[in-house]
């Protein structure tokens, strides 16, 4: 339970603002109610208020870094200027990562991984990105589970089709973006040597 204390009270200083606490509770997050020492660690061993978590200690289900990140984001969102700054920063950072990822998709490398990472950055602030990231995660996990249940022959065929697809995309991107026709050069090399 959060109590109203005066701003002069030295115990009230380390507690998160009331707006952030209300927002965190509304979203179902546990809010630390213990006092913190100089290192930022709880004095009483890291216990969370079970009344704030709906009778379930959420700290046991979530890694500590995620809890800290959530609390930090809620504190930033509690301030109108911080909320706008965070939204602008998340939008720009996500756009940069997604743009680099989209540029790298035709090339062999982590193109799709960067697109998904950029979507994860946007998911911090945007609900549509969170839904799309969940959709992507479910389908990638489902595909991975399906492939691992298949026989070795089916996996080899799927891997070959994937490699052929990447090779065709790489060939087309080199041909139409840089004007390098790899197949024509290979045929010319084979004909002359």
């Amino acid at each position: 339970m959060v109590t109203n204390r005066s701003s002069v009270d030295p115990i009230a200083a380390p507690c998160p603002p009331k707006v952030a606490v209300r927002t965190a509770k509304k979203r179902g997050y546990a809010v630390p109610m213990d006092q913190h020492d100089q290192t930022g660690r709880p004095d009483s061993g890291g216990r969370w208020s079970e009344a704030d978590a709906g009778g379930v200690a959420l700290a046991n289900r979530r890694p500590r870094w995620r809890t800290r990140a959530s609390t930090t984001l809620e504190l930033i969102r509690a301030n109108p200027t911080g909320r706008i700054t965070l939204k602008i920063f998340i939008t720009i950072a996500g756009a940069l990562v997604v743009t680099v990822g989209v540029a790298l998709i035709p090339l062999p490398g982590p193109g799709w991984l960067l697109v998904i990472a950029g979507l994860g950055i946007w998911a911090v602030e945007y609900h549509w990105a969170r839904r799309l990231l969940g959709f992507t995660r479910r389908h990638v996990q489902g595909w991975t589970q399906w492939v691992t249940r298949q026989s070795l022959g089916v996996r080899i065929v799927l891997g070959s089709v994937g490699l052929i697809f990447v090779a065709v995309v790489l060939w087309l991107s080199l041909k139409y973006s840089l004007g390098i026709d790899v197949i024509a050069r290979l045929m010319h090399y084979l004909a002359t040597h």
Side-chain angles (χ1 to χ4, degrees):
M1 183 173 141
V2 177
T3 59
N4 292 332
R5 295 185 180 147
S6 70
S7 60
V8 181
D9 190 1
I11 297 174
C15 293
K18 287 187 254 181
V19 175
V21 170
R22 278 196 307 264
T23 305
K25 285 181 187 177
K26 185 169 46 172
R27 292 182 180 181
Y29 297 117
V31 179
M33 303 313 296
D34 297 337
Q35 299 302 314
H36 299 274
D37 61 5
Q38 295 289 343
T39 62
R41 295 190 176 125
D43 289 338
S44 64
R47 294 202 172 103
W48 296 78
S49 172
E50 289 193 19
D52 294 333
V56 177
L58 293 179
N60 295 335
R61 294 190 313 195
R62 292 173 55 145
R64 186 175 180 152
W65 67 269
R66 286 194 69 171
T67 305
R68 281 189 179 178
S70 295
T71 305
T72 303
L73 288 173
E74 292 304 324
L75 290 173
I76 292 171
R77 288 182 184 123
N79 182 345
T81 306
R83 185 173 42 250
I84 292 170
T85 305
L86 179 68
K87 188 169 268 227
I88 291 170
F89 175 76
I90 293 294
T91 302
I92 292 172
L96 286 174
V97 173
V98 166
T99 303
V100 170
V102 167
L104 291 177
I105 284 174
L107 304 174
W112 284 110
L113 186 63
L114 286 175
V115 170
I116 291 172
L119 201 58
I121 292 172
W122 277 338
V124 169
E125 196 62 31
Y126 296 107
H127 186 66
W128 62 267
R130 200 171 305 126
R131 286 194 327 255
L132 186 58
L133 188 63
F135 174 82
T136 305
R137 186 178 294 147
R138 282 191 309 272
H139 282 79
V140 166
Q141 287 173 349
W143 171 257
T144 304
Q145 290 172 358
W146 180 82
V147 168
T148 56
R149 288 192 308 259
Q150 302 308 310
S151 67
L152 182 62
V154 172
R155 285 190 268 172
I156 289 173
V157 168
L158 288 172
S160 300
V161 168
L163 286 175
I164 291 170
F165 175 75
V166 168
V168 168
V169 168
L170 180 62
W171 170 64
L172 289 174
S173 64
L174 287 174
K175 182 177 179 180
Y176 291 111
S177 63
L178 299 177
I180 302 170
D181 191 359
V182 178
I183 294 178
R185 287 189 182 192
L186 180 65
M187 293 298 206
H188 176 71
Y189 177 78
L190 291 174
T192 58
H193 288 85

